[in-house]
Amino acid sequence: MKSEPTEYSIADLKADRVTCWDGVRNYQARNFMRDAMQINDGVFFYHSVVEPIGIVGEAKVVKCGYPDYTGWDRKDKHYDPKTSPANPIWSMVDVAFVRACGEVITLSRLRTIPALEKMEILRRGSRLSVSPVTEEEYKTILTLREW
DNA sequence: GCCAACGTTGGC
DNA sequence: GCCAACGTTGGC
């Protein structure tokens, strides 16, 4: 799960302990949250845009896909007039903090790992803010450092 | 700050 | 239903 740390960082998640992953307004990313993510699924928290870019921690799913109610909140920055309580379009999950990396696992390092070659987030032009990680990729990333 | 890649919109 | 125009994302 990708986030710009100026918006929401791993430190924020650590402080909050649990957060709802609201504001995703992309259908593919929504589908992963709505249809695929299950309770206790592991999640890597990725900081984008701000240096150093990369994986900064681990979280887990504690609540499965449910309507993102910020979509029909006119005051919310992710307000979307197309959605409503009667017609919920967007979904979110809740994730809980698990642990932070002592040091960021940088994007440039991830790109050097052959086992991660096909990972969605490393695909050229990938812009999905929520993307799948295979079990093998997950285990590989866990070996990259002390957690 | 640039720009490639991608998703969305809307005219036809 | 096509596709040009536009807006956004995000690495560099």
Side-chain angles (χ1 to χ4, degrees):
Chain A
M1 300 182 95
K2 193 189 286 185
S3 180
E4 298 186 22
T6 52
E7 292 294 316
Y8 195 81
S9 71
I10 187 72
D12 293 326
L13 179 59
K14 185 176 185 179
D16 293 344
R17 205 180 56 80
V18 173
T19 193
C20 54
W21 205 264
D22 63 320
V24 172
R25 298 290 180 266
N26 170 283
Y27 287 100
Q28 253 186 293
R30 176 210 58 186
N31 292 348
F32 290 128
M33 292 197 290
R34 189 189 61 185
D35 308 329
M37 295 171 81
Q38 301 295 326
I39 299 275
N40 282 327
D41 277 356
V43 170
F44 290 120
F45 198 116
Y46 178 97
H47 280 179
S48 64
V49 178
V50 180
E51 284 296 318
I53 296 166
I55 291 172
V56 293
E58 198 181 4
K60 67 175 179 181
V61 177
V62 293
K63 183 173 177 182
C64 293
Y66 64 103
D68 179 349
Y69 47 76
T70 66
W72 51 78
D73 178 355
R74 284 175 183 280
K75 295 187 298 290
D76 195 276
K77 66 180 293 194
H78 300 292
Y79 172 67
D80 176 2
K82 294 192 299 295
T83 189
S84 66
N87 179 34
I89 294 176
W90 305 114
S91 297
M92 59 186 174
V93 297
D94 287 359
V95 297
F97 177 83
V98 174
R99 51 190 168 172
C101 299
E103 210 178 305
V104 178
I105 306 173
T106 62
L107 174 59
S108 53
R109 174 150 183 239
L110 292 169
R111 288 199 187 284
T112 69
I113 314 292
L116 301 180
E117 232 166 24
K118 296 190 174 154
M119 192 158 78
E120 175 63 29
I121 203 173
L122 301 182
R123 254 193 48 236
R124 180 172 147 79
S126 167
R127 300 190 322 188
L128 289 175
S129 59
V130 179
S131 63
V133 182
T134 67
E135 188 136 14
E136 193 198 341
E137 288 161 352
Y138 206 95
K139 286 177 184 161
T140 300
I141 290 166
L142 289 180
T143 67
L144 292 181
R145 57 174 323 98
E146 300 291 322
W147 286 77

